[in-house]
Amino acid sequence: MTKKIVIGIILVFNIIYFSSNLYAIYQGDYLLKYNDLASITGSFSVTIAIFLFFKDFINSDSILNFKKSLSFWITVGLLIYYLGTIPITTLMNSMQSITKSEVHLLFNVQYILVTIMYCIFIFGALWSQKKE
């Protein structure tokens, strides 16, 4: 069931991505305007796939030893990153109308999210290493 949902998500994302790019080409602003629809759809697709992974992970025996699972830590990092960047991505095309201090704040938030994500990746890689 989860595999069919993921395939459906990939199909919907690809349809939205290609149709939004074709529309941008038709409008003549393909390289002039950020394609936020495709980015937001991709972020939501990844977030849904992560929640499906968590659902399967909780229903499996792996939950008993989740601290040693690298895939758990990677999905936690990705979930924090993508949920945090969706609001920033929605503002990308309107950044001309906001002040430089607000743009600086958004980029700092992005930097903090990336740092947290990679720290979780590193923590998970170190925590899940096999001890001999």
Side-chain angles (χ1 to χ4, degrees):
M1 180 68 174
T2 302
K3 190 173 184 176
K4 288 182 182 180
I5 294 172
V6 170
I7 290 172
I9 290 170
I10 292 170
L11 183 66
V12 168
F13 168 73
N14 283 326
I15 290 170
I16 291 173
Y17 179 79
F18 287 118
S19 61
S20 66
N21 280 334
L22 288 175
Y23 180 74
I25 290 169
Y26 176 74
Q27 292 293 323
D29 59 357
Y30 179 68
L31 296 176
L32 303 175
K33 194 174 175 187
Y34 179 69
N35 190 357
D36 57 349
L37 179 64
S39 182
I40 293 168
T41 305
S43 294
F44 277 119
S45 300
V46 170
T47 303
I48 291 169
I50 288 170
F51 280 121
L52 290 172
F53 169 79
F54 280 139
K55 184 189 83 146
D56 288 345
F57 191 76
I58 288 171
N59 291 331
S60 71
D61 291 335
S62 301
I63 192 68
L64 299 173
N65 201 12
F66 73 94
K67 292 179 185 175
K68 300 278 185 188
S69 173
L70 181 60
S71 60
F72 171 79
W73 292 110
I74 289 174
T75 53
V76 167
L78 289 173
L79 182 67
I80 290 171
Y81 175 76
Y82 280 109
L83 286 179
T85 57
I86 289 172
I88 296 171
T89 306
T90 58
L91 297 174
M92 281 297 226
N93 283 329
S94 64
M95 281 199 179
Q96 293 90 3
S97 64
I98 61 177
T99 64
K100 282 193 174 205
S101 63
E102 291 170 333
V103 171
H104 187 66
L105 175 70
L106 290 175
F107 282 117
N108 281 339
V109 169
Q110 181 81 14
Y111 178 76
I112 290 168
L113 287 170
V114 168
T115 304
I116 291 170
M117 179 183 69
Y118 284 122
C119 285
I120 292 172
F121 287 175
I122 291 168
F123 177 78
L126 294 174
W127 194 274
S128 65
Q129 285 182 346
K130 306 267 189 244
K131 304 260 193 239
E132 293 182 20

